[in-house]
Amino acid sequence: MSGYIIRGGIPLSGSVTISGAKNAASAIIPATIMTDEPCRIENVPDVADIAVYLNILRRMGAEVRDAGGGAYEIDCSGVTTHTATSDDMRKLRASYYLIGALLSRFGRADVAMPGGCNFGAPRQIDQHIKGLTALGASISIKNGVLTATTDGRLHGASIFIDGIPSVGATANIMLAAVTASGTTIIENAAREPHIVDLVTFLGLMGADIHGAGTDVIRIHGVDKLHGGTHAIIPDQIEAGTYIAAAVGTGGRVEIKNVIPKHLECISGKLREMGASIFESSDTSVIADGSGRFRNIDVTAMPYPGFPTDMQPQAAVLLCLADGTSTVTDNVFATRFQYIDELVKMGASIKVTGRTAIINGVQSLTGAPLKAGDLRACAALVIAGLCARGTTELEGVRYIERGYVDVVGKLRALGADITSVGAPALSDMAI
Ligand code: EPZ
């Protein structure tokens, strides 16, 4: 068996330091390709998805130097290709950011179609294509490769993102628009913290962007971007995951290196369940729980709503609530593959449409489980920590895509979790 062995029932205690945000780094690292000047990116999370992305840049001719302590010196002056079609590209959902970045630098992009977590339904990129086309790109998809070309320079446009304010589409359109001629207005834009972090980085590269964090972003194109130094923001979802683990096990944990404002959408809901979560400094919160919860209704929505990336973790806690709760995901309608695994632990859950109906039980019991995506894996780790008995969890390569040293951090909080046979970060097949 390759994965984690978790012996549950131990209340977590102590403090944990949160790493850089995977989903911010996933956009900022490809953005470095847009300048031929060196960039220094700090607080880069040591997770598989980012390791893969750094290797993709190296393969394209970039010089990527590990400067230690989570910092990387990236010099893309040696990148002369607009093609990125290696298998690595198919391991990441965020590989699509190279479309906007390469269009901006070279006026052309040949990029393998993205991969990423499978939530049981297609993860479209039609809004990316809509936005990039509005900016003047011609886009075709053949043999698994998306080709974007432009005669001359992209031009500004007014773009309305249909339906859910797509994080990926908002970021990709911005990457292409920052060096387009004229002004681009993105309406129904995503407001997530990692969108704001990307805009902060683009701004220090010389981009002229206004409205980040609101649903209307205005971009005035500039001729050239320059290098710069930027520290990635702390990971809101990693922090939320440790808060859930702390309160689910009935423990008390200080979560350090966070931006409390980014956690309000998570803390508010967990407080409603009965957890005690409060700021212990400008950059830390304390999570204190009893392991039992009030039954509530949770709806995952775009920021500043409750994040879909915390939906599975919330469902685990509600399995231990008194009464019936619901978890609805308005972002990914079918992000419930983890439910079958929780039922193996004694949970009582029924999924209808985009809603899971959860009848709380007295306790979960350890079981052999298999994770199918990143946040499902995080949720099943929490379930194992909260359960009575031992859980053997397979599919842990998923959690190692997005969480830095999860076994080490949990063991430091007193968890009885052991990694057996799990692949090292470097040789991981995502
Ligand atoms: C990003 O995915 C994140 N991934 C996801 O995190 C996160 O769950 C998601 O945003 C929502 O916050 C990265 O940043 C690498 P979307 P993305 O475009 O960009 C639909 C994790 O666990 N849509 O905001 O793919 C889409 O189907 C991962 O860290 C279109 O219809 O999400 C979904 O229903 C999982 N057309 C909704 O919008 C499009 O062109 C939101 O998708 C794009 C999206």
Side-chain angles (χ1 to χ4, degrees), residues 195-428:
I195 290 290
V196 177
D197 203 33
L198 171 62
V199 171
T200 303
F201 176 59
L202 293 171
L204 64 86
M205 291 172 83
D208 184 357
I209 306 177
H210 307 270
T214 74
D215 62 347
V216 180
I217 297 178
R218 284 178 175 74
I219 301 150
H220 303 295
V222 297
D223 293 335
K224 190 169 168 33
L225 297 173
H226 49 75
T229 296
H230 177 72
I232 304 280
I233 55 168
D235 194 312
Q236 162 203 43
I237 304 301
E238 183 193 18
T241 302
Y242 281 99
I243 290 173
V247 301
T249 57
R252 177 185 171 94
V253 172
E254 184 170 34
I255 291 95
K256 295 181 171 177
N257 186 38
V258 298
I259 298 172
K261 174 73 181 164
H262 291 167
L263 302 182
E264 281 175 8
C265 53
I266 299 168
S267 309
K269 253 344 194 184
L270 296 185
R271 285 192 197 100
E272 219 182 299
M273 292 182 197
S276 165
I277 302 164
F278 54 93
E279 290 181 30
S280 47
S281 79
D282 292 346
T283 59
S284 60
V285 299
I286 288 181
D288 198 343
S290 64
R292 292 304 299 175
F293 301 98
R294 284 190 288 272
N295 57 318
I296 65 165
D297 298 324
V298 176
T299 300
M301 303 174 67
Y303 192 81
F306 187 83
T308 176
D309 292 345
M310 279 295 300
Q311 179 261 91
Q313 298 91 313
V316 170
L317 300 185
L318 291 171
C319 288
L320 299 169
D322 300 320
T324 300
S325 303
T326 62
V327 174
T328 301
D329 197 322
N330 282 347
V331 178
F332 295 110
T334 57
R335 191 178 192 165
F336 292 114
Q337 286 92 318
Y338 62 91
I339 297 284
D340 286 344
E341 301 304 299
L342 291 180
V343 169
K344 293 175 186 172
M345 303 178 86
S348 171
I349 309 178
K350 184 166 177 285
V351 176
T352 55
R354 56 173 66 223
T355 297
I357 300 166
I358 303 171
N359 298 309
V361 293
Q362 193 48 44
S363 66
L364 295 175
T365 55
L369 305 175
K370 193 170 176 62
D373 67 69
L374 165 56
R375 306 302 174 182
C377 197
L380 294 176
V381 167
I382 293 173
L385 294 170
C386 298
R388 289 183 183 163
T390 300
T391 292
E392 293 185 352
L393 176 59
E394 294 189 275
V396 300
R397 71 183 188 284
Y398 287 109
I399 200 170
E400 293 174 356
R401 292 183 57 174
Y403 288 85
V404 172
D405 187 21
V406 63
V407 172
K409 290 189 179 184
L410 284 172
R411 289 173 70 91
L413 293 173
D416 184 345
I417 176 171
T418 310
S419 178
V420 288
L425 198 57
S426 52
D427 61 12
M428 204 172 306

